[in-house]
Amino acid sequence: MTNDTSKINNTSTTNKARPWIQTGRYEFETVCRSTLCPKEWLQVEKIYVCEYCLKTTIQATSARRHRTKCTQTRPPGCLIYTQKDVNIFEVCGWKTKTYCEDLCLLATLFIESKVEIKNVHRFRFYVLTVCHNDNQYEFAGFFSKLQFQERLNLSCLLILPPYRNRGFGSLMVHISYALSRLANIHTGTPERPLSTQGLLCYRKYWKSKIFDYLLTKTNDEQIAINDISKATSISTCDIIETLASLNMIRMLEKDKLIIYRSQELLDEYEQKSKETDIRQEIVNYDSKCLTIKPIPIPLPFENKCKKIKFDDNETVMTFLNYYPSSSTDDID
C-alpha cells in the first residue's frame, strides 16, 4: 500500500460539520449525521477505520497501534465472486455479529435511512473488496439482504467514495439479481424506500437491461411485459417506473398505457455503452466469476401484466389492461 492519502470531497448536505473518515490510503468526508452512530463520532473531525476488520477509533495513535496488531486481511465470510482484483464475500450476520454491526455503523454516515444495527442476525452481507499483490483485501463497499426474503434482493447498498465511478454499484446490483435467480426467484426488487443514490443506481441498471432487450426486437414483434421481466429479472412495476422516468410512457385510457419507443434514446444508450466498454477501470459483471451454489427457495412472483404489442402505424408499444400499483404490491 502507498503512504499517499487521497482526499475525496462530497457535496455537503447539511450546514453542520461532518467527520471525515480515514481508511488505509484514503481520506474522505461523510455525507450525513446519523443519530444511530456513536455520539463521539460526531464530536471529532476524523474517524479512523481499519480497511480489513473495520475496527473504528477516533484517535490516530490507537489507529496506528491497531494497524501493527491487526492480523485480519479479508472479510470473515465465503468468497463468492472474483474478477481481477475485485472480490465479493458473503458474510452471515448471525455468525459474525461484531463485523456486521461495524458495517452498518459505517453505513449510517452515508445513508440516512434503512440501516439496521441491532438486528444484523436477520441479514446476509455481501462485502466488496479490492485485493492487492500481498493478498490483502481492502474494504470498498457492501450490500445487505434479508435472510429468506429472496424477492427483496437488496436492503442496503454502500460504495465508499474512493471506489465510485468504477461500476461497482452496478456490479453489486447485478450480483443481487444473480443471487435471486440462483434461488429460483426469476424476478426481484430492492427494499423500499430507496435512497437518492440508490434510486439513481437502480434506474441506471434497469434502463440498461430494458434497453438491451428492446434493441433485440423489431417494431412488428409482439412482446409481453412478462417476457421483458423474465429476460431481465426486473419486476413489472420497476419496468414501468423506469420507463416513466424516461418519459417513455403515457396513459391513454383507464386500462391502457403506451410506451414510446424512442430511437433517439436507444441510439444514445448504444453509444454510451460502447464508450463505457472502452474504459478499462469499469468493472462489468461476469456470470462466470460467481461461484456461489444455488439456494432452492421457491417464491414465485405473481404475473400482473398482460400482453403488449407494437403498434403497426407508429413505433410504440401498447400495454393492455395493466394497472400500475404501489411498489409494495410486488413484495407483500
Side-chain angles (χ1 to χ4, degrees):
M1 293 179 57
T2 62
N3 294 325
D4 296 334
T5 299
S6 301
K7 290 189 177 182
I8 298 180
N9 294 307
N10 288 335
T11 302
S12 178
T13 59
T14 177
N15 293 328
K16 296 182 179 180
R18 299 182 302 275
W20 285 62
I21 286 180
Q22 181 172 327
T23 175
R25 52 183 172 163
Y26 294 112
E27 185 177 332
F28 47 91
E29 190 179 7
T30 57
V31 174
C32 55
R33 295 170 56 89
S34 173
T35 58
L36 297 176
C37 66
K39 293 182 179 180
E40 57 267 24
W41 286 15
L42 304 179
Q43 298 172 355
V44 296
E45 294 182 356
K46 187 182 295 185
I47 301 170
Y48 301 87
V49 181
C50 177
E51 64 269 37
Y52 304 116
C53 71
L54 301 186
K55 180 178 175 58
T56 305
T57 180
I58 59 176
Q59 297 179 348
T61 54
S62 298
R64 288 193 294 267
R65 189 182 307 115
H66 170 79
R67 190 180 185 86
T68 61
K69 297 180 179 180
C70 183
T71 58
Q72 187 168 328
T73 59
R74 51 172 280 175
C78 299
L79 180 63
I80 66 167
Y81 187 90
T82 301
Q83 184 180 8
K84 297 181 180 179
D85 62 338
V86 177
N87 299 271
I88 297 176
F89 295 81
E90 182 183 53
V91 182
C92 294
W94 63 273
K95 284 185 177 181
T96 52
K97 182 179 179 181
T98 300
Y99 181 87
C100 294
E101 286 180 348
D102 289 339
L103 277 175
C104 294
L105 282 172
L106 184 60
T108 62
L109 297 174
F110 297 92
I111 304 173
E112 297 183 7
S113 62
K114 288 177 49 180
V115 178
E116 287 275 0
I117 297 177
K118 299 299 182 181
N119 298 317
V120 295
H121 62 278
R122 300 172 55 219
F123 293 84
R124 280 174 286 173
F125 297 82
Y126 296 87
V127 182
L128 173 72
T129 65
V130 176
C131 184
H132 296 279
N133 294 330
D134 49 3
N135 290 325
Q136 293 181 320
Y137 299 81
E138 287 187 359
F139 173 75
F142 79 97
F143 77 86
S144 62
K145 62 183 297 184
L146 279 167
Q147 301 262 20
F148 311 117
Q149 290 288 338
E150 300 303 323
R151 287 184 295 180
L152 291 177
N153 54 18
L154 188 145
S155 296
C156 178
L157 171 63
L158 171 67
I159 304 296
L160 293 184
Y163 298 96
R164 293 175 184 173
N165 299 319
R166 288 189 57 187
F168 287 156
S170 296
L171 174 65
M172 299 295 265
V173 172
H174 266 97
I175 295 291
S176 70
Y177 277 97
L179 293 174
S180 292
R181 288 192 294 269
L182 287 174
N184 295 325
I185 309 302
H186 299 296
T187 54
T189 190
E191 181 181 318
R192 264 63 171 189
L194 289 171
S195 65
T196 302
Q197 293 297 325
L199 180 60
L200 291 175
C201 182
Y202 263 95
R203 281 187 175 171
K204 181 179 179 181
Y205 172 82
W206 291 332
K207 174 185 174 181
S208 67
K209 303 302 287 186
I210 294 170
F211 276 27
D212 284 342
Y213 181 83
L214 294 180
L215 286 169
T216 65
K217 304 299 177 181
T218 59
N219 292 345
D220 56 352
E221 287 187 76
Q222 286 194 351
I223 307 172
I225 184 64
N226 290 324
D227 291 339
I228 301 177
S229 181
K230 183 178 179 180
T232 61
S233 297
I234 302 172
S235 72
T236 53
C237 287
D238 291 336
I239 293 173
I240 297 295
E241 177 184 335
T242 303
L243 294 174
S245 70
L246 296 170
N247 201 27
M248 292 177 62
I249 194 168
R250 297 286 189 277
M251 176 73 75
L252 293 186
E253 301 173 5
K254 291 183 179 180
D255 61 346
K256 184 179 294 187
L257 294 173
I258 295 294
I259 293 182
Y260 288 86
R261 178 184 169 91
S262 173
Q263 194 61 43
E264 181 180 354
L265 286 178
L266 291 174
D267 292 341
E268 180 183 356
Y269 166 74
E270 275 193 301
Q271 181 61 32
K272 287 185 177 180
S273 297
K274 293 177 182 178
E275 294 174 357
T276 300
D277 292 339
I278 296 175
R279 294 174 58 189
Q280 295 182 356
E281 70 273 18
I282 296 297
V283 178
N284 294 313
Y285 172 74
D286 186 350
S287 59
K288 297 179 181 178
C289 298
L290 186 64
T291 59
I292 194 171
K293 295 181 179 179
I295 305 173
I297 305 177
L299 293 172
F301 255 153
E302 178 184 358
N303 294 330
K304 294 187 177 182
C305 295
K306 294 186 178 181
K307 289 285 183 178
I308 62 173
K309 63 180 180 180
F310 282 99
D311 192 303
D312 293 334
N313 298 323
E314 301 179 29
T315 55
V316 300
M317 291 184 296
T318 306
F319 285 82
L320 302 179
N321 301 322
Y322 177 79
Y323 297 90
S325 56
S326 64
S327 59
T328 56
D329 288 345
D330 268 1
I331 59 179
D332 286 343

